[in-house]
Amino acid sequence: MSAPTSRQTQFRAAILDPDRPAPPGLTDGRGAPAGRRFSVYRNNVVVSLTEALEKAFPTVRKLIGAENFATVAGLYLRAHPPTSPILSRYGAGFPDFLGAFEPLGHLGYLPDTARLDRALVDSYHAADSAPLDPGRLGALAPDDLLRLHLGFAPAVRLLRSPWPIHGIWRFNNEENAPQPPHTAQDVLITRPAYDPVPRLLPPGGAALIAALSAGKSLGDALDAATGEAADFDLSPLLTRLLQDNALSGAQVKAPA
Amino acid sequence: MLDQTRRTTLPLAPGVGYKPQHYAEIMADAGPIGWLEIHAENYMGAGGRPVAQLRHLSERFPISVHGVGLSIGGEGRLDPDHLSRLRRLSDWLDPASFSEHLAWSTHESAFLNDLLPLPYTSDTLQRVVDHIDELQEAIARPMLLENPSSYLAFAESTWEEPDFLDEIARRTGCGLLLDVNNVFISATNLGFSPQGYIDAFPLRRVGELHLAGHDTEADDHGRPLLIDSHGREVDEPVWALFDYTLARSGPRPALIEWDNDVPDWPVLAAEAARAGAALSRSVATGDEVPA
């Protein structure tokens, strides 16, 4: 009774490849062949996974339009179906897929825009964390401040791009947003409460945050920041991080 | 050993499939709603709003966890990572009910995000039994298994669906979730009597009923092909089949599922109120109590 190829191998292949015929031995319950009934499953899979990608990459969808998005999503989901039933995680490889997709190659900013979309979803579902008490930093002596190690909240994400991804995101997601500038932009995603916010970082800011994330002291991170932007000003960024609940821990360590 | 005496502690009241856009209204005034159902896979993130909302809801309402991604009918082994996630959710939430589907969705590492059908043979039955045993061990509670909506049948099937479900429940101790809309869809699509299906169904094992809307398309012969879309009101013949079922099963916790084109809260609450009125009218016909 068992077919040479397992039922589920047949289904998987035929669902993901519209050019394949439906598996054999399927009926309409009355003894006749199932005919186009199999396409209900094909359609359910493609439509629901396309919707999952639309939800995860809303800015990309706005940029290329719903029809183009559905086309590229269809190619992606057939080549890279989800490997987990948690659909909010689906599409981790979509930014790279866009980058290698020649018909959209003229939109160089698309992969990084997709990374920003993806990072916002990841931030939304990230673990909660208790905010850092600003008073703890205010009480530190200047020398201790430089030896401070800061931890970031689980919902924080850093993106560095040669493209104006913050401006592109705003222009496509906010009312009356200005045209994106022609500059590289670094973005820090923070989650003040439950809704992630992409914050535009000043020059040097990304270097500071990358260094802190790598476990460097605030003093060393400041050196990294001023190495990229000589006039880097720590104070407004630190205030922003505190206000946005972006920091989860602070510890003064003796120099190694 | 699993406690076989209580497969669900859901109230004999209508519930709805929870949608985040209704959070404020439900918390302010739940109207006819006695409980809520969530899709397990939407609450497996580490934190943020979904988890916080679920925590608040669970302080006010009995919660039914409805898994849509374990692939109980899968030919391969169950995903151990997903089993662990279901256990974690079940542990912290301590839901009033846990249910999953007679279907598969994952094969050779691809999750296809649909409830795909399986042939009803003694081999597939044993596989489903083994998987339910494994799940019930993992979550340390009995589950309810839901009947599918069918668009086609397998030439190699040797079991009728009600018997297949009854035998699975008998071997595993699980209860059953009877989706009345699915019965109507399958009966229309495959050409059998929906009332005959209900008559053959082991209603004493049913711990929950589902209701939902469907779309109507056509097959190659121009006959109606109903699609389980969960995107509109419950159709009138499905309400009639719901009454037919209640007259034989006695009242059961009953859920309105509306997952696509989700309406404003008053529309969903009205559907739930209609289910509640039917529950109130139903009179237990024998000594059966909710499974």
Side-chain angles (χ1 to χ4, degrees):
Chain A
M1 218 45 206
S2 65
T5 314
S6 89
R7 271 292 182 206
Q8 293 178 11
T9 300
Q10 293 172 351
F11 263 65
R12 182 194 193 278
I15 283 172
L16 293 175
D17 182 353
D19 295 331
R20 274 176 194 260
L26 304 177
T27 78
D28 67 354
R30 302 166 179 89
R36 75 170 74 144
R37 288 157 177 260
F38 185 79
S39 62
V40 174
Y41 298 112
R42 272 189 183 128
N43 190 55
N44 284 350
V45 170
V46 170
V47 168
S48 72
L49 292 180
T50 299
E51 278 174 8
L53 290 169
E54 284 173 348
K55 224 169 139 184
F57 299 97
T59 314
V60 172
R61 183 169 179 266
K62 276 188 190 146
L63 283 166
I64 64 175
E67 206 168 312
N68 287 328
F69 189 91
T71 301
V72 68
L75 294 169
Y76 177 75
L77 69 90
R78 288 185 173 101
H80 307 283
T83 54
S84 157
I86 305 178
L87 275 191
S88 60
R89 295 181 190 167
Y90 183 45
F94 192 60
D96 285 347
F97 184 83
L98 286 173
F101 186 59
E102 277 180 23
L104 294 173
H106 59 293
L107 306 178
Y109 50 82
L110 213 51
D112 277 356
T113 307
R115 286 183 188 100
L116 177 55
D117 274 345
R118 178 68 251 169
L120 285 163
V121 176
D122 289 340
S123 173
Y124 183 76
H125 292 284
D128 306 313
S129 61
L132 181 67
D133 175 10
R136 285 191 54 196
L137 302 188
L140 291 173
D143 279 359
D144 283 346
L145 202 58
L146 293 180
R147 284 188 278 132
L148 191 65
H149 291 249
L150 291 167
F152 288 92
V156 168
R157 298 285 184 281
L158 176 65
L159 293 103
R160 308 199 68 171
S161 178
W163 302 95
I165 53 170
H166 186 265
I168 291 169
W169 185 88
R170 279 191 69 192
F171 189 70
N172 287 282
N173 292 282
E174 288 179 4
E175 299 255 341
N176 305 318
Q179 285 278 345
H182 295 279
T183 54
Q185 287 185 332
D186 300 327
V187 172
L188 189 72
I189 295 173
T190 65
R191 199 179 84 194
Y194 290 132
D195 293 306
V197 188
R199 302 287 190 194
L200 177 63
L201 287 169
L208 179 100
I209 285 160
L212 288 171
S213 301
K216 300 276 203 307
S217 70
L218 186 54
D220 288 347
L222 260 176
D223 289 343
T226 50
E228 283 194 11
D231 60 348
F232 177 77
D233 183 1
L234 174 65
S235 173
L237 181 54
L238 202 53
T239 303
R240 168 57 69 199
L241 293 175
L242 287 166
Q243 283 174 350
D244 277 6
N245 187 21
L247 299 172
S248 66
Q251 196 183 0
V252 177
K253 289 187 189 166
Chain B
M1 281 295 288
L2 296 163
D3 175 6
Q4 302 293 345
T5 57
R6 282 178 81 72
R7 293 190 188 88
T8 132
T9 56
L10 293 173
L12 288 173
V16 294
Y18 171 66
K19 297 293 155 196
Q21 54 265 52
H22 299 144
Y23 178 78
E25 282 157 300
I26 289 174
M27 289 298 267
D29 177 7
I33 308 306
W35 54 284
L36 298 168
E37 189 157 283
I38 58 143
H39 287 180
E41 285 73 14
N42 290 342
Y43 297 89
M44 289 177 165
R49 181 179 283 119
V51 174
Q53 282 192 346
L54 180 55
R55 204 177 292 280
H56 291 140
L57 291 166
S58 71
E59 289 161 5
R60 294 268 295 275
F61 301 95
I63 304 289
S64 163
V65 171
H66 193 50
V68 296
L70 185 60
S71 200
I72 279 177
E75 288 170 3
R77 61 190 288 243
L78 296 181
D79 177 354
D81 292 339
H82 202 55
L83 275 176
S84 303
R85 288 188 286 258
L86 288 168
R87 182 200 340 238
R88 272 198 300 279
L89 179 63
S90 180
D91 281 353
W92 79 255
L93 188 59
D94 191 20
S97 177
F98 185 99
S99 50
E100 249 283 2
H101 298 82
L102 179 63
W104 64 279
S105 49
T106 297
H107 185 63
E108 290 164 3
S109 83
F111 171 69
L112 297 169
N113 196 37
D114 194 25
L115 299 168
L116 297 164
L118 59 157
Y120 299 148
T121 68
S122 297
D123 286 350
T124 58
L125 191 145
Q126 187 57 50
R127 197 168 68 222
V128 171
V129 164
D130 291 344
H131 286 167
I132 289 177
D133 284 344
E134 195 179 352
L135 172 64
Q136 292 186 140
E137 282 299 318
I139 62 175
R141 65 184 72 222
M143 63 162 283
L144 306 177
L145 184 66
E146 179 176 345
N147 59 302
S149 51
S150 298
Y151 307 111
L152 48 76
F154 291 85
E156 66 267 36
S157 285
T158 53
W159 289 72
E160 295 295 326
E161 191 172 281
D163 298 337
F164 194 77
L165 286 161
D166 186 37
E167 180 63 12
I168 290 166
R170 191 185 69 75
R171 290 199 206 171
T172 62
C174 78
L176 299 176
L177 192 170
L178 177 57
D179 188 314
V180 178
N181 182 52
N182 287 358
V183 173
F184 186 75
I185 289 172
S186 298
T188 305
N189 291 346
L190 303 182
F192 62 80
S193 154
Q195 291 81 12
Y197 183 102
I198 300 295
D199 293 343
F201 204 84
L203 295 174
R204 69 187 185 285
R205 300 190 189 277
V206 172
E208 181 182 338
L209 299 169
H210 271 186
L211 293 162
H214 55 253
D215 291 343
T216 305
E217 293 181 12
D219 75 358
D220 302 75
H221 306 285
R223 284 186 300 239
L225 181 67
L226 305 186
I227 310 292
D228 190 20
S229 60
H230 294 189
R232 56 171 64 203
E233 284 93 349
V234 178
D235 207 6
E236 288 305 326
V238 175
W239 283 117
L241 191 61
F242 181 54
D243 287 336
Y244 184 91
T245 304
L246 290 175
R248 284 152 186 79
S249 67
R252 292 287 193 276
L255 182 93
I256 305 290
E257 291 183 294
W258 199 323
D259 297 314
N260 295 300
D261 298 323
V262 176
D264 290 341
W265 174 246
V267 176
L268 187 56
E271 288 279 278
R274 184 166 174 183
L279 285 181
S280 305
R281 283 197 307 273
S282 77
V283 177
T285 51
D287 56 359
E288 303 291 359
V289 292

